[in-house]
Amino acid sequence: MFYLGSQSLLFGHTDSGAGGFTSGLSHPVGGLDHILAMVAVGLWGAQLGSPLLWGLPIAFPLMMAFGAALGLMGYLVPGVEIGIALSGVALGLMVLLEAKPPRWAAILIVGVFAIFHGHAHGTELPAGQSGVLYSIGFVISTGLLHAAGIGIGTVHRWKQGKLFLRFAGALVMGGGIYFLIRALG
Amino acid sequence: MNSGVGPFYDGVAHFFITPEDILIVFCLALFGGLSGKQASRGLVLVLPLAWFIGSAVGRFSDFPALPVFLSGLGILVTGILVATAPAVPTWLPGTLAGVLGFLHGLMNGNALTQSSTLFLAAVGIVSSLVVVALITCAVTATLTQNWQRITARVLGSWGAAIGLLSLAWSLRPEGP
């Protein structure tokens, strides 16, 4: 982490920026709307169990990277802020209801919302940063948020834990509704 | 890169301050490890050799500079292979390592044009990547528990995501 975070590194190849890792690392945790959705992915994965326990945290960063790629290359995705807010509502609702849709549907839900989160990150990339280091920080941070959700989700094995997770889902959904009202306002 | 302690260490430093190089070696080694011990052995032999040859070609020939996006594309493809962990023939990881190692070696050769003692610098790079590849392959090839292999595959998906972002970064309208 120290190595990656050092801003004084010189790079061997052609990236123009010298920094970026800490920007990438901090970006996904810079907004509560992002945090809620990413932790909810981990919580939902914990409720769904294997293989979606690890399938969702694989799908989300990949689709988020796809969304970020669209943002970096200048492609517009309509309603990004609304999509991000809706992701909190939908994922929170899934956790609250302990929904168990077919695998493809769960991956589709997570993947579609990940595009909105990724697009927001891709278009907000600060100038003069190293793309590779930013990407590394960005993906690690997202993965760690999922891992935190999965870690919290391990309480699912206990009866009270299941209730706690559903309560957490309600909180995420409430946060999503708040951000949705703000995005629409 | 001038480390101040000689060309060999210039090469070592060059490898460890070039995240694209570390990432591709790490992803390739994960792929080799997940493909089994025989595939890992082939990969660990082919990768440094191809990298070294690529460095020499990049330094001493008029080979044109490679487009930057190739690096991200290589990481993306390898990361997807790790994440999906398909059943592949044992020669495939070594062959992929040969191609990607040669390409990254070429980029290193272009970047090391300032070094008057390329041979030692290239040996430094190759020695460094061998250490990373050997350790990663050895650890990954001996993973037996399902959750351990899944962890390796999740890391591969992270690699693929980073590769995709790097690819988009290099192809964006403003340029890399």
Side-chain angles (χ1 to χ4, degrees), chain A residues 2 4 8 12 58-59 68-69 71 77-78 81 91 93 101 114 126 134 143-144 157 160 174:
Chain A
F2 174 77
L4 286 165
S8 60
I58 283 180
V77 171
E81 287 305 319
L91 292 169
L93 185 65
Y134 180 86
L144 291 179
R157 68 185 72 175
Q160 289 85 351

Side-chain angles (χ1 to χ4, degrees), chain A residues 14-185:
Chain A
T14 49
D15 263 327
S16 55
F21 176 71
T22 48
S23 287
L25 201 64
S26 61
H27 212 263
V29 294
L32 189 60
D33 47 353
H34 292 302
I35 296 174
L36 286 176
M38 289 176 211
V39 172
V41 169
L43 295 177
W44 195 27
Q47 285 179 331
L48 291 168
S50 188
L52 288 172
L53 171 66
W54 53 271
L56 295 187
I58 283 180
F60 195 95
L62 275 173
M63 291 307 288
M64 197 170 74
F66 176 68
L70 292 178
L72 277 171
M73 295 175 72
Y75 292 105
L76 279 176
V77 171
V80 169
E81 287 305 319
I82 294 171
I84 290 170
L86 275 176
S87 72
V89 178
L91 292 169
L93 185 65
M94 294 296 126
V95 177
L96 172 64
L97 299 176
E98 215 172 313
K100 290 192 180 350
R103 285 177 197 168
W104 64 266
I107 288 174
L108 186 70
I109 291 168
V110 164
V112 167
F113 286 125
I115 292 175
F116 292 108
H117 287 268
H119 192 275
H121 294 315
T123 50
E124 292 165 9
L125 173 61
Q129 304 278 305
S130 159
V132 177
L133 282 180
Y134 180 86
S135 307
I136 294 171
F138 173 79
V139 172
I140 288 176
S141 185
T142 304
L144 291 179
L145 283 171
H146 293 325
I150 291 171
I152 296 167
T154 53
V155 300
H156 187 249
R157 68 185 72 175
W158 297 294
K159 192 179 172 187
Q160 289 85 351
K162 286 183 182 175
L163 279 173
F164 170 76
L165 283 189
R166 297 179 80 154
F167 176 68
L171 284 180
V172 172
M173 194 175 82
I177 290 170
Y178 167 73
F179 287 114
L180 185 60
I181 291 167
R182 271 185 46 172
L184 291 171

Side-chain angles (χ1 to χ4, degrees), chain A residues 3 10-11 13 15 125 129, chain B residues 16-17 108 150 165 169 172:
Chain A
Y3 153 73
L10 299 171
F11 295 98
H13 290 170
D15 263 327
L125 173 61
Q129 304 278 305
Chain B
F16 284 109
I17 62 166
N108 284 172
I150 285 171
L165 279 167
W169 175 266
R172 70 199 175 121

